[in-house]
């Protein structure tokens, strides 16, 4: 899901630009901020997933030693 929302957002923004034409440079700011927020959420989700995975691996290794 974390990769789907940024990709859908990029497609939506591209579609808007095609339909309305290229906006003035100050109109790009909300689109860029939205993309930064979505990618930031995706990155933090990936980090949390990797930490959870690493913790599970360490727990499994601990049980194997006993």
């Amino acid at each position: 899901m974390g990769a789907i929302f940024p990709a859908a957002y990029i497609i939506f923004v591209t579609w808007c630009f095609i339909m309305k034409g290229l906006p003035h440079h100050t109109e790009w700011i909300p689109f860029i901020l939205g993309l930064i927020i979505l990618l930031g959420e995706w990155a933090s989700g990936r980090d949390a997933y990797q930490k959870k995975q690493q913790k599970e691996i360490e727990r499994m290794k601990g049980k194997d030693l006993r």
Side-chain angles (χ1 to χ4, degrees):
M1 289 301 285
I4 293 172
F5 287 125
Y9 184 75
I10 290 171
I11 291 169
F12 172 73
V13 169
T14 303
W15 178 76
C16 286
F17 288 163
I18 290 171
M19 295 309 235
K20 294 182 178 182
L22 290 176
H24 191 265
H25 69 278
T26 58
E27 296 174 359
W28 283 81
I29 294 171
F31 296 117
I32 292 172
L33 288 176
L35 185 60
I36 289 171
I37 290 169
L38 287 173
L39 291 176
E41 288 295 319
W42 175 73
S44 67
R46 285 295 299 165
D47 288 341
Y49 176 73
Q50 289 175 348
K51 287 178 184 178
K52 182 178 177 182
Q53 217 174 21
Q54 185 63 32
K55 189 184 291 185
E56 183 67 25
I57 289 172
E58 289 172 6
R59 187 171 8 153
M60 289 171 62
K61 285 181 181 179
K63 287 183 180 181
D64 285 343
L65 295 176
R66 294 181 187 173

